[in-house]
Amino acid sequence: MADKSTFTADEWKTLLESVMAPGLAVTAAEPSGIWGLLQESFASGKMLAKAKTETSSNPLIKAVADDFATSEGRAVSHDGLKENLSGRKPSEVKTACIEILRKADAVLSAKAPGDAAAFKNWLREISQHVAEASIEGGFLGIGGVVVSDTEKATLAEISSALKLPS
């Protein structure tokens, strides 16, 4: 089983960034106001906390979640994401996040093939939870949809970047 020592510092940074990338991609694909942003952010954080506490979590997922829980791990992820995403429009943020997921796929395939499927499915699960976190469209939540067509397309892009079936 892979852990932090399996990867170079840059590869580990990519894995840490990949935890936030699916949620950010979905949120950037169809921004849904401050309340929706909060709900989507909470959904992403909840998935991270669940991986940290769930005893059945894949060891690599748990290692990334544990490192992300440290101030150093969050700083590495935050700084990398800031470098990649600062000053970009939402559509560019989505594209950059998809690229982070492509890099994560390559790192996982090369360095942790035994853990790759579980980790990539976890990233896709994060994106799905974020997409379902707030109602899109409508007025005051009435007449909207749980997952918009734009979000569905983004979920498909995330699956493609991770080389998972849609």
Side-chain angles (χ1 to χ4, degrees), residues 37 45 70 139 164:
L37 176 65
T70 68
F139 179 71
L164 295 169

Side-chain angles (χ1 to χ4, degrees), residues 22-102:
L24 289 169
V26 170
T27 299
E30 185 147 15
S32 53
I34 190 71
W35 183 246
L37 176 65
L38 289 172
Q39 289 175 311
E40 290 175 349
S41 295
F42 182 71
S44 188
K46 187 176 177 181
M47 292 297 297
L48 190 58
K50 180 181 173 187
K52 187 172 171 20
T53 59
E54 205 169 74
T55 57
S56 64
S57 286
N58 170 280
L60 179 58
I61 293 171
K62 197 158 181 56
V64 168
D66 286 344
D67 197 32
F68 201 90
T70 68
S71 58
E72 181 184 326
R74 281 190 308 278
V76 167
S77 177
H78 177 267
D79 293 347
L81 289 170
K82 185 177 177 184
E83 180 183 316
N84 282 316
L85 307 178
S86 285
R88 295 186 186 230
K89 297 175 187 171
S91 63
E92 296 169 331
V93 167
K94 183 187 92 162
T95 301
C97 287
I98 299 293
E99 185 55 36
I100 290 167
L101 295 173
R102 280 192 186 93

Side-chain angles (χ1 to χ4, degrees), residues 110-165:
K111 294 281 188 96
D115 294 307
F119 196 92
K120 294 188 298 183
N121 280 313
W122 178 58
L123 294 176
R124 180 172 52 189
E125 188 178 347
I126 292 170
S127 67
Q128 187 68 43
H129 279 276
V130 170
E132 294 170 353
S134 72
I135 302 295
E136 305 296 331
F139 179 71
L140 297 175
I142 300 168
V145 295
V146 175
V147 180
S148 71
D149 289 341
T150 303
E151 289 175 327
K152 288 176 186 175
T154 302
L155 293 172
E157 284 184 71
I158 289 169
S159 290
S160 177
L162 295 170
K163 296 185 178 100
L164 295 169

